[in-house]
Amino acid sequence: MKILIKNIKAIVGIRDKAITRLSGEEMKTLPQIENAYLLIEKDLIVDYGSMDDLQIADWNALQIYDADDRFILPGFVDSHTHVVWAGDRESEFVDRINGMSYEEIAKNGGGILNSALKLNQSNEEELYRSAKERIEELMNLGTVAMEIKSGYGLSVEGEIKMLRVIKRLRENLPVTIRSTFLGAHAFPLEYRDDQDAYIDLIINKMLPIIEKENLADYIDAFLETGYFSVDQTIRIMEAGKKQGLRPKIHVNQFTSIGGVKASVDHAALSVDHLEEMKAEDFEALKGSDTMPVALPGCSFFLSIPYTPARELIDNGMPLALASDFNPGSTPSGNMQLVIATACIKMKMTPEEAINAATLNGAYAMGISDSHGSISIGKKASFIITKKIPSYSFIPYAFGSDHVDSVFIDGEVIRKGEVIVS
Ligand code: NIG
Ligand code: FE
């Protein structure tokens, strides 16, 4: 049965299906139809238009919802998360309040290594259950697709365990999931003095199992001073690419050491973080197919600089926004808050921020042919807002939940006031 949603205040983010990403000036517009209807069939959007043009041959063959003056937006596409983890790190949060830095905490065995310790002590069932709970909260807040990284195993068993959990989440939850192998997230203590041996372990032990069990779509590394060098990351990117894993790289979070160029040269799908940018990093990105991804929740939580969104966009480049949801640097996956932070702290306009969190996010996880805009033939994965005066109200009234209902692949995931069945 088809579903008709009528009396929509405006459908926002309408695009031709062929448009896969937006750059520079293009990000400033958010095409919309006011007083609109939307028609979906099974998992797809099949029609939309002005209420004045609505013509239905057989009303009885339809399930009808009355949006009664609420907006429809494409659902949020979160292209960077670490949603599978064990234990939380609020004690490190308190340490930072008391003056320690993220780097100092990591040097003392906290940080990523702390999460790895806890993850290796957890079983698959516990990991699955806690991640599922987190994802269910995010779906209710409007996230319809997300990328999930491994990277808290840092051992063959731990990394494979995480990736199997991600695979299970993907099979069982309605949200669209892509999986990224991040074995190169930090050097385990026992490899501190023989880093090459850990990279050998990633390449010779982890990657073959990942290939055999088809556990990942992308490969990532934390390219950063004190973590993985440019040359070490290149080894990892090249090994991943041999088995069809395109790179998506953590880079320039604290220092700019040539990682953006190396990632672009290796055809990375995205480069993520970019809080510290030199002229050569902008240069490397210009005209490339690599999507820069900003993670304002991380900047907010760690009190580090924000990605220079204005400089990127004003120089004609694209930009995506993602949450970076993880227990250390960003314990929130709320994309409404990500959009608000981008507007408030990075001076992105609401149009730019919404485009960055939908279509450009979809590009950064390789799904912009099916997600990220309201387009005929794309997935019926969208948000119906509460009664708000304009879409700019979402970042303006920050910290509130502006979602009434959520559809994923044509199914009602969150039942708000609009859904009377
Ligand atoms: O993207 N920067 C590296 N990785 C994560 C943080 C990981 C952690 O602290 O657990 C990030 O911010
Ligand atoms: Fe991250």
Side-chain angles (χ1 to χ4, degrees):
M1 193 190 258
K2 287 186 186 173
I3 297 175
L4 172 72
I5 305 174
K6 62 177 187 176
N7 297 329
I8 305 160
K9 185 165 180 150
I11 303 178
V12 174
I14 294 177
R15 306 257 172 206
D16 191 287
K17 190 171 181 275
I19 299 171
T20 57
R21 70 170 186 174
L22 303 164
S23 304
E25 284 287 309
E26 295 163 348
M27 291 184 69
K28 290 190 166 41
T29 53
L30 199 50
Q32 55 174 323
I33 298 178
E34 291 177 10
N35 186 27
Y37 72 88
L38 181 74
L39 196 63
I40 66 185
E41 185 170 16
K42 296 194 180 115
D43 57 334
L44 299 179
I45 295 168
V46 292
D47 193 18
Y48 55 75
S50 160
M51 281 302 287
D52 300 335
D53 303 327
L54 176 60
Q55 284 179 353
I56 298 290
D58 181 6
W59 286 90
N60 290 325
L62 286 178
Q63 165 123 33
I64 301 169
Y65 297 121
D66 190 344
D68 188 21
D69 235 14
R70 296 171 175 89
F71 290 89
I72 284 188
L73 270 77
F76 304 127
V77 180
D78 189 351
S79 66
H80 182 141
T81 84
H82 308 248
V83 76
V84 177
W85 76 76
D88 293 291
R89 301 199 338 236
E90 68 275 16
S91 64
E92 293 178 9
F93 168 61
V94 177
D95 288 342
R96 282 196 301 105
I97 294 172
N98 288 322
M100 269 174 100
S101 72
Y102 181 80
E103 287 101 322
E104 281 164 354
I105 291 168
K107 269 197 196 117
N108 293 336
I112 295 166
L113 294 184
N114 183 359
S115 286
L117 196 70
K118 289 177 181 151
L119 188 127
N120 281 292
Q121 292 163 349
S122 311
N123 64 41
E124 261 187 58
E125 197 50 40
E126 289 163 344
L127 289 171
Y128 176 79
R129 251 189 296 116
S130 58
K132 178 170 171 280
E133 220 168 87
R134 291 179 198 119
I135 295 171
E136 280 166 350
E137 183 192 353
L138 298 181
M139 291 193 298
N140 276 321
L141 290 168
T143 298
V144 298
M146 65 200 303
E147 178 257 25
I148 308 177
K149 300 173 193 296
S150 69
Y152 290 126
L154 309 182
S155 62
V156 178
E157 305 72 44
E159 286 297 309
I160 300 303
K161 181 164 66 179
M162 279 190 86
L163 291 167
R164 285 187 185 138
V165 168
I166 298 170
K167 189 174 187 177
R168 214 173 130 199
L169 293 164
R170 181 175 181 158
E171 285 163 0
N172 293 318
L173 293 179
V175 65
T176 294
I177 291 174
R178 291 291 178 270
S179 168
T180 299
F181 171 50
L182 176 57
H185 200 186
F187 286 102
L189 283 180
E190 60 272 31
Y191 289 95
R192 276 252 158 113
D193 300 323
D194 191 3
Q195 299 192 338
D196 282 347
Y198 184 61
I199 295 175
D200 290 343
L201 189 78
I202 290 178
I203 295 174
N204 301 326
K205 291 279 187 301
M206 299 184 195
L207 277 174
I209 305 176
I210 292 166
E211 182 166 40
K212 194 161 149 245
E213 294 189 28
N214 194 16
L215 289 174
D217 305 291
Y218 302 110
I219 189 155
D220 194 348
F222 188 13
L223 198 174
E224 184 57 64
T225 307
Y227 291 84
F228 291 79
S229 69
V230 171
D231 287 344
Q232 289 169 334
T233 305
I234 288 175
R235 264 193 81 195
I236 286 160
M237 288 194 285
E238 286 180 348
K241 279 176 80 178
K242 276 201 196 121
Q243 59 186 69
L245 306 180
R246 205 172 162 190
K248 277 170 68 66
I249 303 294
H250 280 76
V251 68
N252 289 39
Q253 182 176 2
F254 302 111
T255 54
S256 164
I257 53 172
V260 174
K261 182 167 187 322
S263 305
V264 170
D265 287 348
H266 286 79
L269 179 58
S270 70
V271 281
D272 303 38
H273 275 288
L274 310 179
E275 289 90 341
E276 295 294 336
M277 291 284 282
K278 289 186 184 158
E280 58 253 42
D281 299 313
F282 288 98
E283 224 25 67
L285 276 171
K286 252 191 190 164
S288 79
D289 290 334
T290 301
M291 176 65 72
V293 180
L295 310 166
C298 175
S299 298
F300 175 73
F301 188 71
L302 293 186
S303 301
I304 61 173
Y306 287 83
T307 304
R310 282 267 53 91
E311 242 175 301
L312 286 160
I313 296 171
D314 294 346
N315 279 294
M317 281 176 259
L319 184 64
L321 287 170
S323 73
D324 198 16
F325 194 23
N326 75 74
S329 74
T330 324
S332 165
N334 181 342
M335 289 294 283
Q336 296 180 58
L337 199 55
V338 167
I339 288 171
T341 313
C343 293
I344 297 162
K345 303 303 262 186
M346 297 161 69
K347 300 280 175 249
M348 291 175 76
T349 64
E351 291 79 10
E352 289 169 336
I354 292 170
N355 283 324
T358 55
L359 191 57
N360 282 358
Y363 181 95
M365 60 178 280
I367 59 164
S368 57
D369 56 341
S370 57
H371 288 79
S373 58
I374 304 293
S375 314
I376 291 170
K378 277 199 181 181
K379 292 285 185 190
S381 295
F382 55 84
I383 294 161
I384 306 178
T385 67
K386 290 183 178 154
K387 287 201 174 183
I388 53 176
S390 72
Y391 57 74
S392 299
F393 194 80
I394 297 173
Y396 162 78
F398 73 96
S400 290
D401 177 13
H402 300 290
V403 169
D404 176 80
S405 310
V406 178
F407 281 72
I408 296 185
D409 293 358
E411 300 280 337
V412 178
I413 296 302
R414 173 170 174 177
K415 260 189 191 178
E417 284 181 23
V418 166
I419 312 297
V420 239
S421 51

